[in-house]
Amino acid sequence: MKTCALDIPFEPRLFGYAINSHLILEYLAFFIGFRYYVFLRRRSSDTINTNNRLSIILGAALGALVGSRLIGVLENPTVAFTKAHIIQLLNTKTIMGGLFGGLLGVELSKKIIGETTSSGDLFTFPILLGIFIGRIGCFLSGTNEFTYGKATTFFMGMDLGDGVLRHPTSLYELLFLIVLFIALKWVQKHKNLKNGALFKWFMVPYFGFRFCIEFLKPNVFYLFGLSTIQILCLICLLYYKNFIFQTLKNA
């Protein structure tokens, strides 16, 4: 795939100024994802009261903020501590750290307020939709964002802005997210799931997918032969080990 209808990185201009398409789509992902959550909550019989639900959302947001920045920094912790690099690190974030940090933030907030009901199911599809929109921004940013793949001769290879044919890992993820969304809708409709199981059905496949696709990315920091994201994926899968074993047992 040597040519593309769009110039990548795609930066449309408005009144003479270049528009950061990834940033716009990132904000759009938050807005649409939240509106989708509100829509789903109105259509569901949520057993968690409004005050507790707001506390859970706050815990998720704070956990996601800390987790996304922390894992973003740990992806390349060996950079020189110059002013430019520090500014770059402070602006670095990753959805994987955000997801796992949000998960821990939710669990902590639930302990604080004494909420014992599983709360993740209502977030599942809004999160999926938000990630999907955000990944479109990653693809349009090309090599301006560290979400591109290694150089390749694979037929899906694309020039993402540096003249090198690379794995379009963001496109691979977009395809995976579509399949996962459809599969989870089917599971929700046809399976008698326990409360909280739908969110786990999202987290386990997604973190498993991200573990695998990291092998196609030119990561610069490895520990035990794995990238920071891959180590985080293993930690998440270990966190859900009981769910995974029970699912395999009942298969």
Side-chain angles (χ1 to χ4, degrees), residues 94-109:
T94 169
I95 184 60
M96 302 304 289
L99 281 174
F100 195 69
L103 172 65
L104 297 182
V106 166
E107 294 304 320
L108 179 59
S109 65

Side-chain angles (χ1 to χ4, degrees), residues 1-2 17 27 58 89-90 92 106 127 130 149 158 171 180 204 223 241 245 249:
M1 190 179 295
K2 296 184 179 181
Y17 294 95
Y27 287 138
L58 178 60
L89 286 175
L90 290 175
T92 300
V106 166
I127 290 174
M158 296 180 63
L171 282 187
L180 183 59
V204 171
L223 186 63
K241 64 181 185 303
F245 291 148
K249 181 180 178 180

Side-chain angles (χ1 to χ4, degrees), residues 169-231:
T169 50
S170 293
L171 282 187
Y172 299 163
E173 186 168 337
L174 287 172
L175 293 174
F176 174 80
L177 290 171
I178 292 173
V179 173
L180 183 59
F181 190 95
I182 295 172
L184 290 180
K185 281 292 185 182
W186 185 91
V187 168
Q188 185 184 50
K189 182 178 180 180
H190 294 90
K191 298 293 184 179
N192 185 22
L193 298 177
K194 294 182 179 179
N195 194 20
L198 185 67
F199 184 74
K200 296 174 184 177
W201 274 102
F202 155 67
M203 290 288 280
V204 171
Y206 183 66
F207 273 73
F209 169 81
R210 285 300 303 269
F211 176 86
C212 295
I213 205 170
E214 282 295 304
F215 288 111
L216 301 181
K217 293 184 178 181
N219 292 294
V220 296
F221 178 77
Y222 293 93
L223 186 63
F224 306 117
L226 299 174
S227 71
T228 301
I229 294 295
Q230 287 176 312
I231 293 172

Side-chain angles (χ1 to χ4, degrees), residues 63-117:
L65 177 64
V66 174
S68 65
R69 302 290 180 176
L70 177 62
I71 299 301
V73 170
L74 291 178
E75 281 192 276
N76 189 13
T78 59
V79 297
F81 282 93
T82 63
K83 181 179 179 180
H85 280 133
I86 291 175
I87 293 175
Q88 181 181 359
L89 286 175
L90 290 175
N91 288 321
T92 300
K93 54 187 179 297
T94 169
I95 184 60
M96 302 304 289
L99 281 174
F100 195 69
L103 172 65
L104 297 182
V106 166
E107 294 304 320
L108 179 59
S109 65
K110 285 169 64 177
K111 285 187 179 297
I112 293 174
I113 63 178
E115 180 62 62
T116 58
T117 305

